[in-house]
Amino acid sequence: MSLAVRHGGGKMAGFPRSLRGRLTTIAILVAAVVLAAGSSLTLSTVPDNLYGVVHSRVELAVRRVAAEARAGELPTVLTPPARIHFLRVRSSDGRIIASTPATSLQDAHMTDFRPPAPRTISTVEQTAPATSTEPAIHYLVKAMTVDTPEGPVTVYGASSLSDVDRALTWINLFVFVGSPLVLGIVGAITWAAVGSALRPVERISAELAEITGRDISRRVPVPDTGDEISSLARTTNHTLDRLERSAETQRRFVADASHELRSPISALRAQLEVANAYPDETDWKATGARALAAADRLATIVDELLMLARLDAGAVVPRRVVDLCRVVEEQARDREDGRVPIHLRLCASAPVCGSPVQLDRLLTNLLDNATRHAATRIEVEVSVRQAQVIVTVADDGDGIAPEDRERVFERFTRLESGRAKDKGGSGLGLPLSREIAAAHGGSLTVADHHPGARFVAVIPLYGGV
């Protein structure tokens, strides 16, 4: 076993590696097994059956004539049944007592034997020699000795085995010559059929080989066969569509991230360069505060980018049971001195299974967004319905137009109202919140609300109860 694994890699030695070769080999092997079983069954049963029919036919004719002889009712001229070539009755001294009409086939040597015991049938195979008009003929001859009123006589009967020999010749030709020919035909047809079926796959492979990371706009050809290969081609094109959109999103993301990171870095650099150029005229306390604010914004953007990258990569983070009611209470407590009051409507308990850090970030982003846009109040509701925890954060600000309700979840997208109210935003908070909700098996959407906007986060209830 170890030798086979070492040299064959766990595969059968000599077995074709290509799919076309494997299927052709399998088809030939299956056909060979079927032909071998059929040939064995044919060779073991058909010859005996054919010979048995002739034996029964001749024996029946001989016994009928023997019965007539015993009864003393034997005619001089015997009428042979169908497919019996001749009948003959000879006395103990060799005289022909009765016979079918004389023909050239009735050679004396075909009836020159006698049964070894009375009332038993002896069987021999004889060959009538060829003549100028007829070829040699193979006969099955049976003989039976019976007692008659005139004394013992021997009844002979014969039937040609030519049809049997001809049938067996064709059977042998099919088994020993036709079977290899059939296997060759099966192999050729399978090879051609599989090649034709795989030709679209070859075209798909060739097209995929031409597609590179720099240009994924090309698509594979879709055959109009409507089969599994056609489905494979369509699925491949759909995958390429998603890859192209993903690549475009990644390029746009990198460009936007570079732009967003450049702004706080440039601001921080400018402040430090001015302070360094005019140290005596610089208010270092104010400059430090502004630099610290720029560094905080930069750190926030980096943290959000890192969390998005982990979510995109499907990184597994530690999870435990988190009560969202308690998380909301803590968030509200930390914002008691905020610009607008937060009004809570909480259920008794809302347990979910998730990452405490990510869920806290989700609520932080929603409350930060509501705080930026609210005019006089923020309403937060946590409820449990149909094995789901529903968190609603609503404000009474300007609201979000229906056509922008999906745009706000695109990375680095900031509406004009958001830019006017907060120039330090990154446009990553809401996209990150939606990714966190999706990573926990939930969703985040914008619902109708007037005045203002209402965000609805849905997370599966822990335990499904």
Side-chain angles (χ1 to χ4, degrees):
M1 180 63 70
S2 60
L3 184 62
V5 172
R6 186 181 306 117
H7 289 89
K11 296 182 178 179
M12 294 177 61
F15 203 73
R17 297 180 63 86
S18 69
L19 179 61
R20 190 179 190 182
R22 290 200 298 270
L23 291 177
T24 301
T25 302
I26 291 172
I28 292 175
L29 291 176
V30 171
V33 171
V34 172
L35 287 174
S39 298
S40 299
L41 181 62
T42 300
L43 293 176
S44 62
T45 59
V46 171
D48 291 340
N49 290 338
L50 293 176
Y51 278 110
V53 170
V54 179
H55 277 269
S56 299
R57 183 190 305 134
V58 176
E59 183 174 342
L60 182 60
V62 169
R63 289 186 181 276
R64 180 178 61 81
V65 174
E68 293 176 349
R70 279 197 303 269
E73 299 174 355
L74 186 66
T76 304
V77 178
L78 302 176
T79 302
R83 306 184 71 84
I84 297 296
H85 288 74
F86 73 84
L87 292 170
R88 180 177 298 173
V89 180
R90 300 183 67 171
S91 63
S92 58
D93 56 3
R95 290 181 300 107
I96 297 177
I97 300 173
S99 175
T100 53
T103 64
S104 60
L105 297 176
Q106 297 176 10
D107 295 321
H109 78 279
M110 297 183 63
T111 58
D112 59 1
F113 69 97
R114 290 181 181 274
R119 292 182 297 277
T120 60
I121 294 182
S122 296
T123 304
V124 298
E125 293 184 14
Q126 302 279 19
T127 301
T131 65
S132 59
T133 58
E134 296 181 357
I137 301 178
H138 186 203
Y139 283 99
L140 176 72
V141 184
K142 286 183 176 289
M144 179 180 182
T145 300
V146 294
D147 294 326
T148 68
E150 288 79 16
V153 297
T154 303
V155 180
Y156 296 89
S159 180
S160 173
L161 291 174
S162 299
D163 292 340
V164 175
D165 293 340
R166 191 178 303 110
L168 293 180
T169 299
W170 281 107
I171 290 174
N172 290 329
L173 283 175
F174 175 78
V175 170
F176 298 107
V177 178
S179 294
L181 182 61
V182 169
L183 292 179
I185 293 174
V186 168
I189 293 176
T190 304
W191 180 269
V194 174
S196 177
L198 292 180
R199 197 165 294 118
V201 177
E202 295 174 354
R203 290 196 292 267
I204 292 173
S205 300
E207 187 66 28
L208 283 175
E210 297 294 328
I211 297 176
T212 63
R214 295 184 178 180
D215 180 18
I216 57 175
S217 61
R218 300 173 63 172
R219 297 294 179 265
V220 301
V222 179
D224 56 358
T225 54
D227 55 9
E228 290 82 355
I229 296 178
S230 177
S231 176
L232 172 64
R234 287 193 295 270
T235 303
T236 301
N237 284 337
H238 292 160
T239 302
L240 290 174
D241 290 338
R242 292 194 296 271
L243 287 175
E244 185 177 18
R245 289 194 298 269
S246 177
E248 180 61 28
T249 301
Q250 184 179 11
R251 285 193 291 266
R252 188 168 61 250
F253 177 79
V254 171
D256 292 340
S258 300
H259 174 75
E260 294 294 334
L261 290 174
R262 187 183 299 114
S263 297
I265 293 175
S266 298
L268 179 61
R269 181 181 180 86
Q271 294 169 11
L272 294 178
E273 285 179 348
V274 171
N276 186 59
Y278 305 99
D280 296 333
E281 302 176 8
T282 299
D283 185 348
W284 287 102
K285 183 176 181 180
T287 299
R290 289 193 297 271
L292 184 60
D296 288 342
R297 183 188 175 199
L298 185 62
T300 300
I301 294 175
V302 171
D303 289 342
E304 290 177 338
L305 287 173
L306 288 174
M307 186 170 290
L308 279 171
R310 295 191 189 99
L311 290 171
D312 289 340
V316 179
V317 296
R319 295 194 177 194
R320 61 180 177 85
V321 179
V322 179
D323 190 343
L324 289 185
C325 289
R326 306 290 82 79
V327 177
V328 170
E329 288 178 344
E330 293 175 3
Q331 291 275 356
R333 191 179 304 113
D334 293 339
R335 298 169 186 267
E336 288 180 350
D337 299 328
R339 184 178 65 85
V340 291
I342 299 177
H343 300 272
L344 303 180
R345 285 185 296 177
L346 307 179
C347 59
S349 177
V352 298
C353 182
S355 166
V357 175
Q358 292 182 358
L359 292 173
D360 184 75
R361 175 57 67 90
L362 184 153
L363 293 171
T364 297
N365 291 344
L366 292 180
L367 290 173
D368 286 346
N369 180 75
T371 302
R372 282 195 298 270
H373 295 87
T376 60
R377 60 186 287 137
I378 298 173
E379 296 180 354
V380 181
E381 179 182 0
V382 180
S383 60
V384 176
R385 292 195 298 271
Q386 297 179 349
Q388 292 179 328
V389 175
I390 302 175
V391 180
T392 301
V393 179
D395 62 72
D396 60 350
D398 297 331
I400 302 174
E403 61 271 16
D404 293 330
R405 289 179 180 177
E406 283 300 316
R407 286 188 57 229
V408 296
F409 295 109
E410 296 178 3
R411 298 175 184 183
F412 297 108
T413 296
R414 300 182 66 201
L415 304 180
E416 291 299 327
S417 59
R419 293 181 183 274
K421 292 179 179 293
D422 183 10
K423 298 183 181 298
S426 64
L428 289 174
L430 292 178
L432 177 58
S433 298
R434 172 171 274 191
E435 293 291 341
I436 292 173
H440 286 75
S443 63
L444 177 62
T445 56
V446 181
D448 292 331
H449 188 260
H450 184 77
R454 181 161 63 105
F455 288 83
V456 180
V458 179
I459 306 294
L461 182 68
Y462 175 71
V465 296

